[in-house]
Amino acid sequence: MDANHTETSALVIIDVQNEFISTAGAFPISDVCRTDLITNLTTLIPQFRKTGHIIWIKAVYGERTEEPSCMQEHPRGDGILGSNEWLAAATHVHPTPCCKAGSFGADIYPDVFALAEPEDMVITKDSYSAFSGTSGFRFLDALRERNVTDVYFCGVASGTCVLATVVDAVMVDGLQVHVVLNCMGWRRLNTHQEAIRRFKALHVNLTNSNDAGELECAAESC
């Protein structure tokens, strides 16, 4: 990071899209976490914006029923989630399309996206990790252009796209990685619990939206 520029923070909101948040989506998250996710995000976003950047990550997946070669290069493992290496290379592979370009499911959930501002960046990805493929270059460039040193990840789903992105984020030099636990969605509680275990193993900072004062302080490099 350029020492001549002020260090900043970014809140990265991953895949908060109709496909997952709406009950009409093809892969809806659990009712247990949906309301809290929306409520906590709509509180956190304007608070964080006072001193930090907001970056929206939006998935648009191709229709695949077979794993691409980049996924096949890594063992999936036999746990309830794929291995970290496999997740970081993964994309949606399923007979049912997900977040198809131009579809209702691909749109960011309107009740949350209503809080977006013109200065926000929206990055479209076609893999689980926001750092994968061509979107990865755009995302990393966005962080560097904004001189981001602290990045706070939230969104959907904790055990797939959020975890995959965090796996890659901890490899970026000069980046302090945080995970906002109460601003996450999941389809099954056991996968969310496993995601938390892996976040801890990756030694990232775990926080909550009700610590907004501390997040704001970090954004100001207190």
Side-chain angles (χ1 to χ4, degrees), residues 167-183:
V167 166
D168 280 337
V170 297
M171 304 298 292
V172 178
D173 289 341
L175 198 63
Q176 296 296 315
V177 180
H178 310 259
V179 172
V180 189
L181 288 178
N182 70 337
C183 288

Side-chain angles (χ1 to χ4, degrees), residues 25-36:
F27 298 92
I29 60 174
S30 170
D31 292 339
V32 172
C33 62
R34 179 183 291 105
T35 299
D36 284 346

Side-chain angles (χ1 to χ4, degrees), residues 16-18 21-22 38 42 56 104 107-116:
V16 180
Q17 294 165 258
N18 288 330
I21 310 301
S22 171
I38 296 169
T42 53
W56 305 80
F104 163 81
D107 290 339
I108 299 176
Y109 192 68
D111 288 358
V112 178
F113 202 47
L115 297 170

Side-chain angles (χ1 to χ4, degrees), residues 68-90:
S69 58
C70 60
M71 290 176 67
Q72 296 175 11
E73 291 172 0
H74 304 279
R76 190 186 190 284
D78 56 5
I80 58 174
L81 298 178
S83 68
N84 286 357
E85 295 76 14
W86 181 86
L87 281 169

